[in-house]
Amino acid sequence: MANHQLTSLIRMANQIAANNTHIGDENAEAEMVANHLSKFWARSMKAQISEYLNQGGDELTPIARKAIGLMSSAG
């Protein structure tokens, strides 16, 4: 079950990142995604995706990786 949940979080983070590529600036896109995750994801979801990134985060898109890194460093 935990693996399914992590797969869902990865998919959602990548989709949120993909929906913000219209901005055209990678840093601004990552900040928007990080803001969204911080506001709307439960603490447990943020902890799980942050831990996944710390372990390599291979399935995350570059924008999702950057956003999760920003979110993690912000607290």
Side-chain angles (χ1 to χ4, degrees):
M1 184 71 159
N3 190 34
H4 176 69
Q5 183 178 19
L6 179 57
T7 301
S8 294
L9 294 177
I10 294 165
R11 186 183 74 251
M12 288 189 294
N14 287 338
Q15 286 175 338
I16 294 164
N19 288 336
N20 285 287
T21 59
H22 65 280
I23 297 168
D25 176 270
E26 188 173 293
N27 291 326
E29 292 166 357
E31 286 179 28
M32 286 190 71
V33 174
N35 187 40
H36 178 91
L37 299 179
S38 294
K39 283 184 177 180
F40 299 109
W41 280 28
R43 185 174 294 147
S44 60
M45 295 165 69
K46 292 183 279 192
Q48 193 171 3
I49 200 73
S50 293
E51 179 61 28
Y52 175 71
L53 177 63
N54 291 337
Q55 295 174 356
D58 297 336
E59 295 179 40
L60 293 168
T61 64
I63 298 298
R65 290 172 63 89
K66 188 174 234 179
I68 294 163
L70 288 171
M71 181 189 67
S72 297
S73 66

